[in-house]
């Protein structure tokens, strides 16, 4: 029998326990033995809960119990979660988590510690909720030279942008609805300013490229400046707007960023709507593969954590190789990245705009006195130079 401890009995932690017992027989058939939750660590009491007898308040009980093989960290944050994870791995207990904050900050260190102690640090649920993406990068795509990773990595922002597009609603109104539905936190900054997506693309890029991509090195821009007028112009372009996390290798240089992008109908991510997420991975010989599903939520996220638990149970004492070196992956200056730009400006005329940006095709103006167009392909630096001196209303990058 495999014995597990769960750290944190909130949304994800309770979901892990639920999945383990709901699918108890399925899991036994997969690994050939039962998995039992021996402890649940939480500061609170849970009177009336079916598993209240498993609640403990002292992590030492778990860390010093040799029967506990696997620890599921569902605490959140980078304080106690990191401390307990490090202690468990040091004692040879595998750790499974959905905590992207810890993975993004300390992932390479914890993977190395797990290897030294012949156990595993697995984090399938940290980037795509219930979407299998970490395991494919670690196994199915291990033969590939990864050229690019990009995706819709945050369900809250995708929900907001979908509603803005479909209903013509403004950002603030949809954000309030998202908060009421539980899709957005009371303080939504991590989602709407792109920080959540940034941590996820940092983790995916580290695994894809094999060296550590630090999230603090990644240029990050949120969706708070996107307006209903931007979406009105998208109808003319037969396009949409999505918040993307992306990284890619171009001629030996590595670029990474999080920002809103214009996507045309030909883009595989165009039809990813509502709270759904999708991740597109490009390999040098395989080409494009896409992974789509519920990027968050109690049971989808818990299911991904439990998948890691099964992997650990099947490989007791065996470290599963993770292509994540502690060496830093230097990122190229974003100013050298090339792309088109969707631009809205005011207080100018057509000849001035074409004089700066070239022979562009103007869109039908949504607001009086406004000029809107898509630029030719140019570097970010060239765009900044050409746009200097104009009264820019909106600038959104175009994904090729």
């Amino acid at each position: 029998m495999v014995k597990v401890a769960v750290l944190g009995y909130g949304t994800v932690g309770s979901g892990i326990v639920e999945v383990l017992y709901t699918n108890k027989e399925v899991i036994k058939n997969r690994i050939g033995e039962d998995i039992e939750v021996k402890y649940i660590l939480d500061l609170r009491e849970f009177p009336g809960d079916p598993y209240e007898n498993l609640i403990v308040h002292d992590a030492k009980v778990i860390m010093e119990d040799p029967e506990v093989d696997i620890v599921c960290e569902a605490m959140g944050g980078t304080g106690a979660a990191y401390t307990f994870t490090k202690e468990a791995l040091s004692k040879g207990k595998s750790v499974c988590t959905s905590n992207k904050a810890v993975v993004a900050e300390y992932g390479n260190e914890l993977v190395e510690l797990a290897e030294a102690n012949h156990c595993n640090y697995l984090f399938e649920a940290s980037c795509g909720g219930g979407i299998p993406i970490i395991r494919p990068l670690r196994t199915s795509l291990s033969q590939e030279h990864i050229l690019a990773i990009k995706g819709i990595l945050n369900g809250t922002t995708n929900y907001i942008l979908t509603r803005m597009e479909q209903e013509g609603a403004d950002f603030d109104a949809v954000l309030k609805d998202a908060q009421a539905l539980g899709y957005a936190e009371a303080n939504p900054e991590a989602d709407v300013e792109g920080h959540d997506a940034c941590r996820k693309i940092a983790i995916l890029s580290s695994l894809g490229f094999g060296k550590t991509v630090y999230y603090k090195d990644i240029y990050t821009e949120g969706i708070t400046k996107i307006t209903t007028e931007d979406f009105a112009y998208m109808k003319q372009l037969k396009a949409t707007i999505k918040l993307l996390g992306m990284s890619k290798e171009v001629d030996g240089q590595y670029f990474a960023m999080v920002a809103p992008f214009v996507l045309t109908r030909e883009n595989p991510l165009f039809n990813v709507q509502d709270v759904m997420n999708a991740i597109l991975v490009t390999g040098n010989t395989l080409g494009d593969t896409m992974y789509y599903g519920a990027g968050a939520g109690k049971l989808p996220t818990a299911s991904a954590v439990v998948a890691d638990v099964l992997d650990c149970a099947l490989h007791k004492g065996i470290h599963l190789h993770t292509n994540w070196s502690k060496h830093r992956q230097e990122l190229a200056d974003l100013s050298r990245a090339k792309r088109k730009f969707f631009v809205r400006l005011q207080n100018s005329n057509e000849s001035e705009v074409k004089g700066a940006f070239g022979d562009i095709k103007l869109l039908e103006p949504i607001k009086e006195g406004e000029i809107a167009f898509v630029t030719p392909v140019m570097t970010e630096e060239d765009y900044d130079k050409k746009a200097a001196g104009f009264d820019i209303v909106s600038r959104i990058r175009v994904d090729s």
Side-chain angles (χ1 to χ4, degrees):
M1 178 178 290
V2 179
K3 296 195 176 182
V4 172
V6 177
L7 309 185
Y9 201 47
T11 301
V12 175
S14 61
I16 292 168
V17 176
E18 183 176 341
V19 172
L20 282 169
Y21 284 106
T22 298
N23 289 350
K24 186 178 181 68
E25 291 305 314
V26 173
I27 291 168
K28 184 176 181 179
N29 288 335
R30 295 287 192 273
I31 67 172
E33 56 184 324
D34 286 313
I35 293 182
E36 176 188 280
V37 178
K38 187 170 185 181
Y39 303 110
I40 299 170
L41 178 72
D42 205 288
L43 295 175
R44 301 164 293 175
E45 301 288 350
F46 294 87
D49 188 275
Y51 306 106
E52 64 177 313
N53 62 309
L54 304 180
I55 299 291
V56 296
H57 305 300
D58 186 355
K60 188 180 295 186
V61 174
I62 295 168
M63 301 303 167
E64 295 184 354
D65 188 341
E67 286 193 341
V68 174
D69 301 300
I70 302 166
V71 173
C72 299
E73 186 272 297
M75 302 176 69
T78 56
Y82 167 66
T83 301
F84 294 155
T85 295
K86 193 172 181 180
E87 184 176 358
L89 293 173
S90 297
K91 292 180 180 294
K93 301 178 189 296
S94 290
V95 176
C96 306
T97 186
S98 63
N99 190 334
K100 58 187 165 288
V102 171
V103 180
E105 188 79 43
Y106 305 107
N108 63 87
E109 171 196 340
L110 296 172
V111 167
E112 193 174 71
L113 182 60
E115 183 175 14
N117 288 279
H118 309 289
C119 56
N120 287 287
Y121 181 59
L122 301 182
F123 39 89
E124 180 62 70
S126 65
C127 292
I131 304 171
I133 180 61
I134 304 295
R135 192 169 285 100
L137 281 171
R138 185 167 57 80
T139 59
S140 305
L141 302 178
S142 60
Q143 77 285 358
E144 286 293 308
H145 178 74
I146 302 300
L147 300 175
I149 302 171
K150 66 181 173 184
I152 297 166
L153 300 171
N154 182 274
T156 300
T157 50
N158 205 44
Y159 171 81
I160 291 171
L161 293 174
T162 299
R163 287 275 308 276
M164 290 178 69
E165 177 181 36
Q166 294 179 349
E167 302 172 18
D170 65 31
F171 173 83
D172 290 333
V174 180
L175 174 58
K176 288 180 181 177
D177 286 347
Q179 289 170 319
L181 290 167
Y183 295 152
E185 301 289 342
N187 179 358
E189 181 179 351
D191 292 323
V192 300
E193 295 293 354
H195 304 313
D196 175 81
C198 177
R199 284 173 170 79
K200 293 174 180 178
I201 195 62
I203 296 166
L204 293 172
S205 301
S206 297
L207 294 171
F209 301 143
K211 294 183 180 179
T212 299
V213 176
Y214 288 96
Y215 70 91
K216 293 176 183 177
D217 292 344
I218 298 175
Y219 173 85
T220 301
E221 185 179 312
I223 66 167
T224 56
K225 295 179 181 178
I226 304 298
T227 66
T228 54
E229 288 82 12
D230 290 324
F231 276 109
Y233 282 111
M234 291 304 105
K235 292 181 180 178
Q236 295 185 44
L237 294 170
K238 296 181 180 179
T240 188
I241 301 168
K242 302 289 185 183
L243 182 72
L244 298 184
M246 60 167 58
S247 60
K248 61 182 178 180
E249 179 190 353
V250 181
D251 298 328
Q253 293 187 309
Y254 293 84
F255 296 88
M257 71 182 309
V258 174
F261 276 83
V262 173
L263 278 63
T264 62
R265 293 180 186 275
E266 295 74 30
N267 194 303
L269 299 172
F270 177 87
N271 285 314
V272 180
Q273 298 183 337
D274 204 57
V275 296
M276 303 304 281
N277 287 187
I279 303 160
L280 190 68
V281 180
T282 304
N284 67 321
T285 60
L286 177 64
D288 292 338
T289 56
M290 193 166 87
Y291 307 83
Y292 169 87
K298 175 180 177 176
L299 293 181
T301 302
S303 178
V305 175
V306 172
D308 282 343
V309 171
L310 269 63
D311 232 358
C312 292
L314 286 167
H315 298 90
K316 291 180 187 178
I318 301 171
H319 178 74
L320 299 168
H321 177 69
T322 300
N323 183 38
W324 188 345
S325 162
K326 64 182 178 182
H327 299 293
R328 189 189 204 104
Q329 177 61 67
E330 296 294 336
L331 297 179
D333 189 335
L334 189 65
S335 67
R336 298 200 292 271
K338 293 182 178 181
R339 56 179 52 90
K340 295 180 180 180
F341 298 83
F342 163 72
V343 183
R344 293 167 54 201
L345 54 82
Q346 58 188 7
N347 301 320
S348 189
N349 58 55
E350 182 176 344
S351 62
E352 290 173 330
V353 174
K354 289 188 174 181
F357 289 95
D359 188 22
I360 51 156
K361 181 180 179 181
L362 301 182
L363 301 174
E364 190 69 28
I366 301 297
K367 300 179 72 174
E368 187 176 350
E370 190 168 278
I371 293 177
F373 56 95
V374 176
T375 72
V377 173
M378 60 183 66
T379 65
E380 295 257 351
E381 182 178 34
D382 285 343
Y383 167 79
D384 288 339
K385 289 178 180 178
K386 294 175 186 296
F390 285 103
D391 186 358
I392 304 294
V393 177
S394 178
R395 181 272 291 128
I396 304 174
R397 298 168 176 87
V398 178
D399 184 45
S400 57

